[in-house]
Amino acid sequence: MKQLPENMIYPENALILAPLSGYTDVAYRRAARRCGCRFCFTEMVDCSSLVYASDRSALMLRRDDDEDFLGVQLVGAIPEHLAIAAEKLNDRDFSLLDLNLGCPVPKVWNKGAGAALGRNPELALRCFEALAEKSRFPLTAKLRIVHAQDPAPTVDLVTKLVERGARAITIHGRTREMFYTGEVNFEIIRAVREAVPGTPVIANGGIVSPETAREMREKTGCSRLMLAQGAMGNPWLFGRIDGTGDDPGLEAWKALVRSHICDMISLYGEESAMRCARKIVHDYLKGRGFPSCLRAQASALAALKDLDDLLDIAKPAVSRSPSGRSIIDPAD
Ligand SMILES: Cc1cc2nc3c(=O)[nH]c(=O)nc-3n(C[C@H](O)[C@H](O)[C@H](O)COP(=O)(O)O)c2cc1C
């Protein structure tokens, strides 16, 4: 990786694959890397599961030898648990440790963690300080805008996180109530960036195409972007945004889908992997003009053979879909 100025975690114009719970495992990140993505995260890991040493969290923390950059993300709202989790992570190798202040799901929110922590600055800062005290990794935070119109509470929290050593801030321009849809507030992301001029601010939310990436950069002034739903089943988006790649041809699409699912089988075994593969294959099919019978087939995947049958007959009915995802040459 090119030498970055001291204290700089991501270079200008970096495109980062978001932490995605239930998705960004080793197999998912390999697929992204095959399409040129250089900055990835683990799924969020509950700090309490590290405290009580669950097997699932060990799998979530795995890192490939050729992963140059991997951020790990913790979620939790008990400073003592976060501190213990941070110490345990010190035995492994990560590029940074991120605190989740944005997760909206009730299971997390009801424990006062994720987005609820973003609304409780005093506790949020204590949690961050607990990590800062124990972790050997650079610390970052990912949060949502706190208020839909007023930038002040978001800017205030970010400023205090940076004062306590946050080396980068990712800001999702939607409130907790919006979950993952609806218009992104560019103005508050811009206000955050302007409030912490020496710290990289990564803009997140609604980036699904080179056009929406450009709009995000223009309206927020942030060159660094984090991609989430736009890249799900669509890792080619990284190359399309930075100009190094394009949508896949049919054979390239099939090869990537197959290698992704085979990697999942190596990780989890065939039975468990194929259950999980259903949603992954759905995402790969989405918006590319494939006939709907393939979606039904994806929902029933139970063995690698079923995937091979699906791929054998996969052919998009239309070549350019309105969603902007496409198969370049359906006659490939
Ligand atoms: C299925 C799913 C899982 C997610 N898991 C996480 C997570 O583990 N940690 C996190 O910080 N955000 C998580 N997010 C939020 C995304 O990282 C991102 O902030 C959000 O989807 C907005 O970006 P987008 O509009 O480009 O999708 C998740 C989102 C989705 C849809």
Side-chain angles (χ1 to χ4, degrees):
M1 197 181 295
K2 238 171 52 203
Q3 199 63 38
L4 295 172
E6 205 189 332
N7 210 31
M8 211 35 103
I9 301 238
Y10 305 106
E12 292 279 353
N13 299 313
L15 296 176
I16 302 152
L17 176 63
L20 292 168
S21 183
Y23 289 84
T24 46
D25 60 7
V26 165
Y28 206 92
R29 301 194 305 263
R30 267 183 215 162
R33 286 206 304 288
R34 288 186 183 113
C35 293
C37 173
R38 290 172 52 209
F39 302 98
C40 292
F41 275 87
T42 63
E43 308 170 59
M44 73 181 177
V45 178
D46 185 332
C47 66
S48 305
S49 77
L50 277 178
V51 173
Y52 302 113
S54 90
D55 288 348
R56 166 133 175 80
S57 57
L59 206 55
M60 285 162 92
L61 295 172
R62 274 183 51 172
R63 177 179 185 170
D64 265 342
D65 290 342
D66 64 340
E67 278 189 281
D68 290 342
F69 181 104
L70 179 64
V72 60
Q73 188 189 57
L74 283 179
V75 66
I78 303 173
E80 297 73 24
H81 282 191
L82 284 161
I84 295 170
E87 275 187 317
K88 293 202 171 178
L89 291 176
N90 284 343
D91 294 339
R92 298 174 175 263
D93 193 23
F94 294 106
S95 310
L96 60 82
L97 169 57
D98 188 76
L99 177 62
N100 182 316
L101 298 158
C103 182
V105 305
K107 207 174 79 182
V108 171
W109 171 269
N110 292 337
K111 287 191 216 158
L117 197 56
R119 300 241 173 123
N120 183 350
E122 192 265 329
L123 182 59
L125 295 173
R126 280 206 287 128
C127 287
F128 193 82
E129 283 163 0
L131 295 182
E133 198 175 309
K134 299 291 180 191
S135 182
R136 70 182 181 95
F137 304 120
L139 290 186
T140 63
K142 177 169 180 282
L143 61 153
R144 288 174 175 258
I145 59 170
V146 177
H147 190 281
Q149 283 89 37
D150 182 6
T154 316
V155 165
D156 193 49
L157 176 58
V158 167
T159 309
K160 289 179 172 147
L161 287 165
V162 168
E163 281 167 7
R164 281 158 183 78
R167 302 265 297 269
I169 296 288
T170 302
I171 173 97
H172 176 189
R174 299 187 181 103
T175 59
R176 188 258 168 170
E177 288 67 31
M178 297 168 79
F179 273 65
Y180 304 117
T181 55
E183 269 183 40
V184 165
N185 189 317
F186 299 114
E187 292 74 29
I188 296 185
I189 301 179
R190 175 176 280 276
V192 164
R193 185 186 64 77
E194 288 171 355
V196 289
T199 305
V201 172
I202 298 102
N204 168 241
I207 301 167
V208 296
S209 62
E211 294 72 31
T212 45
R214 194 173 317 121
E215 182 184 23
M216 180 66 100
R217 282 177 169 147
E218 279 170 14
K219 293 194 171 160
T220 65
C222 298
S223 77
R224 302 164 178 91
L225 306 177
M226 182 175 276
L227 312 186
Q229 293 165 100
M232 291 171 77
N234 188 21
W236 298 275
L237 184 57
F238 290 94
R240 290 185 60 215
I241 292 176
D242 70 15
T244 57
D246 203 345
D247 272 323
L250 185 58
E251 290 313 316
W253 176 87
K254 286 183 184 181
L256 192 87
V257 175
R258 195 173 193 283
S259 61
H260 185 157
I261 306 304
C262 286
D263 285 343
M264 289 173 68
I265 292 173
S266 310
L267 275 178
Y268 309 114
E270 188 166 2
E271 197 185 329
S272 170
M274 293 316 290
R275 262 197 311 276
C276 210
R278 294 170 191 163
K279 68 181 181 192
I280 304 281
V281 174
H282 267 277
D283 285 342
Y284 277 113
L285 290 169
K286 199 162 125 194
R288 295 190 188 273
F290 288 108
S292 59
C293 62
L294 289 189
R295 289 203 291 281
Q297 230 174 308
S299 301
L301 290 174
L304 182 59
K305 161 97 180 53
D306 302 332
L307 177 70
D308 284 334
D309 292 344
L310 184 156
L311 295 176
D312 272 350
I313 59 165
K315 207 172 199 0
V318 292
S319 60
R320 285 275 163 189
S321 78
S323 74
R325 297 183 182 196
S326 62
I327 292 289
I328 285 178
D329 178 9
D332 221 355

